[in-house]
Amino acid sequence: MNPKVQFYFSKEIKWKGEMELLRVITLSCDLEEVLKWGVPCYTFENNNVVLIHGFKNYCALLFVKGVLLKDPKGILIQQTEHVQAHRQIRFTHVQEIIDQQEDIISYIMEAIELEKNGEKIPFKKPEEFKMVEEFKIRLEENIDLKVAFESLTPGRQRAYLLHFGGAKQSSTRAARVDKCIPNILKGIGLNDAYQ
């Protein structure tokens, strides 16, 4: 147990009992415990394998390369339609964890094997995501914007495309595009701008 992570478990948190049990199980798999993104993260040779995190209605083990796991029990959940790699096993009670302990360990061990084998996620390329018409028009009108957007990392491009496409009305999509143009021109990602 990493003392730097201990403070997370010693504060008053929802799902405390469940998360403490998940911690014990995860550590029994010889993973290193670190704190990343404000939550306990378990690594193998400095590669993220699984995280423990809590939400309003459940706590979960999040497998970083969960999409590559075989999932014979059918317990892995894709958090949202746009999540490509991560998969969760969700819990709402300690007894669920106790009942599934062998399966949890099996999934963790498979995730470690993925890291040992150097498996990579086949992420979609930004051009495979739908580009809204409002953004296409801006790119056609402004060559500097086109060059700046194409210079962004694939993850940053994807974040903008999903953000623009998430609006139902054309006026909202256009407003989102216009608001983001200055940051795109500066080479700033959508999520970088809000940090």
Side-chain angles (χ1 to χ4, degrees):
M1 292 186 179
N2 183 337
K4 292 180 181 177
V5 181
Q6 184 56 39
F7 95 92
Y8 180 87
F9 291 97
S10 53
K11 62 184 183 174
E12 191 55 43
I13 52 175
K14 189 171 184 177
W15 312 111
K16 186 173 185 159
E18 290 81 3
M19 290 197 284
E20 286 175 341
L21 180 53
L22 290 171
R23 180 187 198 194
V24 169
I25 292 169
T26 305
L27 286 172
S28 75
C29 296
D30 294 325
L31 292 171
E32 183 179 339
E33 183 178 58
V34 295
L35 196 66
K36 291 190 178 182
W37 307 286
V39 298
C41 178
Y42 299 86
T43 66
F44 176 78
E45 295 180 357
N46 295 318
N47 294 309
N48 302 332
V49 175
V50 66
L51 288 82
I52 296 173
H53 55 163
F55 295 90
K56 181 179 178 183
N57 297 318
Y58 62 88
C59 69
L61 276 180
L62 179 128
F63 290 87
V64 176
K65 294 182 179 176
V67 70
L68 299 178
L69 295 174
K70 292 181 182 86
D71 195 18
K73 299 290 184 176
I75 56 177
L76 292 175
I77 297 170
Q78 183 177 358
Q79 193 171 357
T80 68
E81 67 176 294
H82 298 298
V83 172
Q84 294 183 61
H86 303 162
R87 296 294 183 269
Q88 300 175 328
I89 303 177
R90 296 178 179 175
F91 308 97
T92 57
H93 194 277
V94 169
Q95 191 60 49
E96 288 177 307
I97 298 168
I98 293 168
D99 293 344
Q100 295 183 57
Q101 183 168 341
E102 287 181 26
D103 295 330
I104 294 167
I105 291 170
S106 173
Y107 280 62
I108 293 171
M109 299 311 288
E110 183 184 349
I112 293 169
E113 284 302 311
L114 292 174
E115 289 305 324
K116 286 180 180 177
N117 296 332
E119 298 289 337
K120 301 288 183 204
I121 302 291
F123 287 107
K124 282 187 190 176
K125 297 191 179 354
E127 55 270 15
E128 295 178 68
F129 287 88
K130 182 179 182 223
M131 184 180 293
V132 297
E133 196 61 34
E134 295 80 2
F135 189 50
K136 281 183 192 173
I137 291 168
R138 299 300 189 289
L139 292 175
E140 291 167 4
E141 295 172 344
N142 184 340
I143 190 67
D144 292 336
L145 177 62
K146 182 174 174 30
V147 169
F149 182 73
E150 290 173 353
S151 298
L152 293 173
T153 63
R156 288 186 171 114
Q157 290 178 18
R158 189 170 44 249
Y160 278 118
L161 293 175
L162 292 173
H163 178 62
F164 302 152
K168 291 185 173 107
Q169 296 184 3
S170 177
S171 60
T172 307
R173 289 191 297 270
R176 286 183 180 185
V177 168
D178 291 339
K179 183 177 178 182
C180 292
I181 286 174
N183 285 332
I184 294 171
L185 289 169
K186 293 176 191 171
I188 298 172
L190 176 70
N191 297 320
D192 302 333
Y194 297 106
Q195 292 179 0

